Amino acid sequence: MASDTVSSPASHPIAQPVSHELRGKVLLVTVDNPPVNALGVEVRRGLAAAIDYAESNDAVQAVLIVGAGRNFIAGADIREFGKPPQPPALPDVCNRIEACRKPVIAAIHGAALGGGLEVALASHYRLAVAGAKLGLPEVQLGLLPGAGGTQRTPRLIGAEAALSLMLSGRHAGAEEALKLGLVDRVGTSDDVLAEGLAYAQALLAGHAPVRRTRDAQGLANREAAQAAIDAARADTAKKSRGLFSPLKIVDCVQAALDEPFDEGLRFERKQFLACLESPQRAGLVHAFFAGREVQKAPETRSAAPRPIESVGVVGGGTMGAGIAVAVLDAGLPVTMIERDDASLARGRAHVEKVYDGLIAKGRMTPEAKAKVLARFSGSTAYDALANADLVIEAVFEDLDVKKAVFAELDRVCKPGAVLATNTSYLDIDAIAASISRPQDVVGLHFFSPANIMKLLEVVVPKQVSADVVATAFELAKKLRKVPVRAGVCDGFIGNRILAVYRTAADHMMEDGASPYQIDKAVREFGYPMGPYQVVDLAGGDIGWATRKRRAATRDPKARYVQIADRICERGWFGQKTGRGFYLYPEGARTGTPDPEVEAIIAAERARAGIAPRSFTDEEILRRYMAAMINEGANVVHEKIALRPLDVDVTFLYGYGFPRYRGGPMKYADTVGLANVLADIREFAKEDPLFWRPSPLLVELVERGATFASLNESA
Ligand code: 3HC
Ligand code: NAI
């Protein structure tokens, strides 16, 4: 700090991450708590102490709060949630700021999120510079703005805009914040300190008064506010399936309209604490940290990524085209290879279709499309890949076809090019071993639609070099995907576990549950779709082909349900053929139950000699989840996944697992591993071959430990 830094007098102990110094008549208060200036206890103490100091020191005429580093303040310290609270509480700190008798100005750069924005809202004047991100993302953590945000925001910018920010959790940039009235001024440069000081001086020169957000008149038009609240309540009830905090946010805004400010704050506090204690908050916070933790695979620490400036994609089908779009969207050039001119034209058409869809929705201009496609080229000759830094293969799921492609890549690609396969199940070690440079071969398992789905399994074969794995993680960052490190096995993390719980669902279907009941139970758990709806969406033929391929190696003693095969034999592959497990009359996207499918199921039960029994939704879920968790434990036990949290992230980002439950392994901890194991042992009485408790699950139960303990120790 500069030499005029105010040393802390004994009566005003200043906590370390918040420093203050006098700049003329302005007390510059700097929050410096890396990495993101979260409002941990020391920061809260420091802010309160700085305000006390400003009030008691006559030399101070105004206070300017800024953040050091890349952000203003990213919010409450999420790591403190669930731990015993330490005073001062953030709402008290915000009230202290607002009550200050000298003008307090917040100068915002980078993130002013959650509690960070609430600190700014409690200040009397706000300025933002370009690149600022203002938002109230608490809803994404199962919370609501709990430091006055639900009371001050609607008073400042009106109920409708406040609800939209709080219910979406989205970030607003500096210009939008100005338009909304969230800030008073946007800096002309991005030097936040200079801008903030200039603003403070201008306010002092103009004798700007202390102006408190609690007194702002954004709710003066009561009718408009009530209408916005009613609309938000109806919309939230419809959209935020099973979520706890969104309706509470609406309730808080209602309180802002109906109650005096302090009463509203008390109401907000109560709701905030209820959210804080909910398992949804625990699940969502787990999801937040797990999503960041997966990015830190060991290879990203031990090796530097290879530069990636151009990418090749082999195959222009569903996946190849989607991958090409994902790469183009990241600003990289793409060369697509197909078998023949007709297939190449189809591949290019698949790519164009994505952009045409955006144009039709008004989200892209034809000029922008032309600019993107200028980076796209295609060829039927592998030599076009001679300069590619990375090639992703997405041809038919057939080991020999893939090996032939890799032989070509081995022939044409430059030394050091990364050679990736998008295979869903095949043995990548075998693909790698078939060429002269196995150290360059890695799995990049995208999910369909590849330009949209966030998950990217980075599959790490035995011989791959660490920098190739690091490159895969770097690519994921560029593509804005969430990478999860996986080992080689049949189906890697996600599809391997999926195969097991799908089988559990098939068993239940043959034993008496209808696919419609199973789908409904799974949806009510929080999934957007049930497993049979997913089959119909993806195409029943895909799973059918896999089952046929595996028929020869299937354990003859294992129970095999043939219902899906009977449906596929009729050419009923789901939405694309107008019927599958459901009927899709005239291209409908939502299916209706099909009595003929129910008849097929009844016939199969009879053929297998099964007297159908009824299932409660709760039993369906217990079996479905137990199968998922048990195989998840196996995947961790065999080190296919680094930790349980990698399984969680896989299911959150690739399989629609409800985020507020944190993922299957987090969910298992929530219900108790001993309960899950007891279920498995109970189910094993009927089918001991299928229900074999994972050794890891047994060990954890014996030790009284949780999956979470493995996340921490890894
Ligand atoms: N508390 C604690 N740690 C946090 C944090 C927070 N609020 N926000 C980020 N971090 C940590 C991350 O876990 C990460 O730690 P790591 O390096 O050990 O993995 C590190 O800070 C850097 O984070 P990112 O990798 O996400 O960095 P980016 O630069 O990509 O993004 C960000 C920065 C936009 C600030 C992003 O981290 C973010 O969105 N953070 C969460 C913001 C948020 O949700 N705030 C609301 C909190 S709830 C609240 O304020 C309640 C109040 O109303 C009472
Ligand atoms: P697809 O059948 O839609 O496309 C495959 C494409 O590869 C076709 O266009 C075909 O012409 C082309 N092709 C075949 N042999 C070729 C060769 N020798 N050289 C160049 N091109 C060739 O298949 P899809 O669904 O895109 O799958 C591709 C791969 O991605 C498979 O390995 C699959 O397992 C995997 N995958 C599929 C997912 C899905 O949901 N469809 C999800 C994740 C991975």
Side-chain angles (χ1 to χ4, degrees):
M1 273 283 145
S3 56
D4 58 349
T5 300
V6 178
S7 59
S8 323
S11 55
H12 294 109
I14 303 294
Q16 236 196 347
V18 179
S19 59
H20 58 106
E21 61 181 301
L22 208 53
R23 292 286 185 101
K25 296 169 182 166
V26 179
L27 187 71
L28 171 63
V29 179
T30 306
V31 179
D32 187 3
N33 185 27
V36 294
N37 298 336
L39 290 155
V41 60
E42 295 302 335
V43 175
R44 298 197 300 275
R45 279 183 194 147
L47 281 172
I51 298 295
D52 286 349
Y53 179 84
E55 296 257 42
S56 61
N57 191 317
D58 291 342
V60 177
Q61 291 191 11
V63 180
L64 174 67
I65 305 177
V66 297
R70 291 198 292 133
N71 301 296
F72 177 66
I73 298 171
D77 187 339
I78 302 173
R79 288 173 211 275
E80 285 185 357
F81 294 159
K83 299 192 180 142
Q86 285 180 279
L90 189 57
D92 297 336
V93 175
C94 287
N95 289 342
R96 180 73 197 90
I97 293 170
E98 188 170 61
C100 185
R101 281 167 285 131
K102 299 174 182 177
V104 182
I105 301 119
I108 296 167
H109 76 301
L113 300 175
L117 183 56
E118 290 173 299
V119 165
L121 292 172
S123 304
H124 306 135
Y125 294 91
R126 285 158 293 280
L127 166 142
V129 298
K133 290 190 279 197
L134 294 86
L136 294 165
E138 286 88 343
V139 70
Q140 288 162 3
L141 299 172
L143 291 169
L144 48 84
T150 67
Q151 304 303 298
R152 290 193 178 93
T153 318
R155 282 179 164 82
L156 190 65
I157 64 173
E160 188 179 351
L163 281 162
S164 149
L165 275 185
M166 291 190 283
L167 290 171
S168 68
R170 73 184 178 85
H171 302 166
E175 288 298 338
E176 190 194 349
L178 181 68
K179 240 185 252 157
L180 289 172
L182 214 45
V183 298
D184 306 291
R185 173 159 155 159
V186 171
T188 46
S189 77
D190 55 9
D191 183 343
V192 72
L193 183 54
E195 292 288 340
L197 285 169
Y199 187 34
Q201 269 137 22
L203 289 167
L204 282 178
H207 303 288
V210 161
R211 189 191 60 168
R212 299 192 169 96
T213 308
R214 62 159 59 207
D215 303 323
Q217 291 303 307
L219 295 173
N221 183 342
R222 294 188 54 83
E223 271 173 33
Q226 190 58 59
I229 293 169
D230 292 344
R233 188 180 299 284
D235 198 47
T236 303
K238 228 182 335 170
K239 280 197 199 139
S240 49
R241 255 191 329 256
L243 281 175
F244 184 68
S245 81
L247 280 172
K248 298 216 166 288
I249 290 174
V250 181
D251 290 343
C252 286
V253 177
Q254 185 72 59
L257 185 63
D258 295 343
E259 307 288 343
F261 183 78
D262 290 321
E263 196 48 50
L265 275 189
R266 268 191 290 278
F267 183 78
E268 175 195 88
R269 187 78 193 148
K270 216 169 125 200
Q271 308 309 317
F272 180 79
L273 292 176
C275 291
L276 201 58
E277 271 158 30
S278 81
Q280 294 194 355
R281 191 275 307 158
L284 286 163
V285 167
H286 172 76
F288 175 84
F289 285 120
R292 276 157 178 79
E293 215 48 49
V294 287
Q295 329 239 353
K296 302 173 194 160
E299 291 86 353
T300 62
R301 294 190 186 137
S302 67
R306 297 180 187 176
I308 299 294
E309 263 144 41
S310 62
V311 175
V313 175
V314 186
T318 312
M319 293 308 288
I323 294 167
V325 171
V327 176
L328 288 169
D329 286 348
L332 291 164
V334 174
T335 305
M336 178 183 279
I337 302 293
E338 259 290 356
R339 308 183 270 179
D340 48 46
D341 289 333
S343 308
L344 185 57
R346 256 198 318 274
R348 173 179 260 276
H350 284 148
V351 170
E352 289 210 34
K353 202 172 145 199
V354 173
Y355 294 112
D356 289 339
L358 293 178
I359 292 173
K361 285 187 204 135
R363 285 170 41 201
M364 190 180 218
T365 62
E367 296 73 40
K369 173 189 162 190
K371 234 169 140 185
V372 172
L373 286 181
R375 283 189 272 112
F376 179 77
S377 60
S379 177
T380 52
Y382 279 85
D383 300 287
L385 298 179
N387 287 319
D389 295 316
L390 168 115
V391 179
I392 305 167
E393 166 279 310
V395 302
F396 300 138
E397 184 75 345
D398 179 296
L399 191 58
D400 290 333
V401 176
K402 293 206 191 269
K403 279 186 179 167
V405 169
F406 271 77
E408 287 296 293
L409 298 179
D410 200 8
R411 182 177 67 77
V412 302
C413 289
K414 66 183 181 189
V418 173
L419 308 179
T421 172
N422 181 49
T423 180
S424 306
Y425 295 96
L426 300 176
D427 181 354
I428 304 180
D429 284 323
I431 296 174
S434 73
I435 64 167
S436 72
R437 34 175 139 173
Q439 73 280 1
D440 295 333
V441 176
V442 72
L444 285 179
H445 185 215
F446 289 80
F447 289 71
S448 182
N451 56 314
I452 295 187
M453 293 293 288
K454 286 276 170 218
L455 180 64
L456 180 63
E457 277 182 306
V458 175
V459 191
V460 179
K462 275 196 214 76
Q463 297 189 61
V464 69
S465 70
D467 63 345
V468 168
V469 179
T471 310
F473 276 81
E474 189 62 25
L475 178 78
K477 208 180 279 172
K478 281 201 175 124
L479 303 188
R480 301 211 195 153
K481 303 276 181 214
V482 180
V484 173
R485 188 189 189 283
V488 175
C489 69
D490 195 343
F492 317 128
I493 298 177
N495 283 346
R496 170 170 162 176
I497 297 172
L498 167 78
V500 176
Y501 66 78
R502 268 294 318 275
T503 301
D506 285 351
H507 290 176
M508 290 189 273
M509 179 163 64
E510 197 175 50
D511 286 338
S514 85
Y516 315 120
Q517 186 194 0
I518 294 170
D519 279 350
K520 180 175 131 291
V522 168
R523 277 198 309 274
E524 276 168 8
F525 180 76
Y527 273 92
M529 284 190 206
Y532 298 104
Q533 291 174 289
V534 173
V535 172
D536 277 4
L537 180 69
D541 49 329
I542 295 182
W544 194 27
T546 310
R547 293 195 295 278
K548 282 193 265 193
R549 198 177 61 238
R550 290 179 175 166
T553 52
R554 203 164 25 236
D555 181 347
K557 292 197 290 296
R559 178 174 175 189
Y560 181 72
V561 175
Q562 299 182 26
I563 296 168
D565 296 346
R566 293 294 92 79
I567 291 174
C568 287
E569 283 157 11
R570 288 164 167 79
W572 300 351
F573 296 149
Q575 291 196 18
K576 63 184 170 191
T577 58
R579 68 195 298 179
F581 280 94
Y582 293 80
L583 284 168
Y584 301 88
E586 285 141 39
R589 301 287 304 266
T590 325
T592 43
D594 183 350
E596 284 187 59
V597 165
E598 287 178 317
I600 292 170
I601 296 170
E604 279 302 304
R605 287 174 186 149
R607 190 191 53 74
I610 291 168
R613 70 173 178 93
S614 66
F615 284 78
T616 62
D617 289 0
E618 194 237 332
E619 185 181 2
I620 288 174
L621 272 175
R622 266 173 48 204
R623 286 175 180 262
Y624 197 74
M625 291 311 304
M628 195 183 301
I629 293 161
N630 198 47
E631 195 61 9
N634 282 331
V635 157
V636 175
H637 186 60
E638 293 170 27
K639 301 196 166 41
I640 297 298
L642 287 174
R643 300 145 298 195
L645 70 82
D646 297 80
V647 176
D648 286 336
V649 172
T650 301
F651 279 85
L652 293 174
Y653 289 94
Y655 295 82
F657 194 94
R659 191 173 168 87
Y660 64 82
R661 296 191 191 270
M665 313 311 266
K666 171 75 185 171
Y667 175 74
D669 278 348
T670 312
V671 295
L673 299 192
N675 294 328
V676 177
L677 183 59
D679 275 351
I680 292 170
R681 288 189 166 140
E682 175 69 29
F683 306 149
K685 287 180 190 156
E686 300 157 12
D687 187 349
L689 192 59
F690 181 76
W691 292 105
R692 277 175 298 186
S694 164
L696 178 62
L697 184 61
V698 173
E699 182 209 314
L700 290 174
V701 171
E702 277 167 5
R703 287 201 283 124
T706 56
F707 285 129
S709 66
L710 302 180
N711 292 332
E712 282 147 24
S713 62

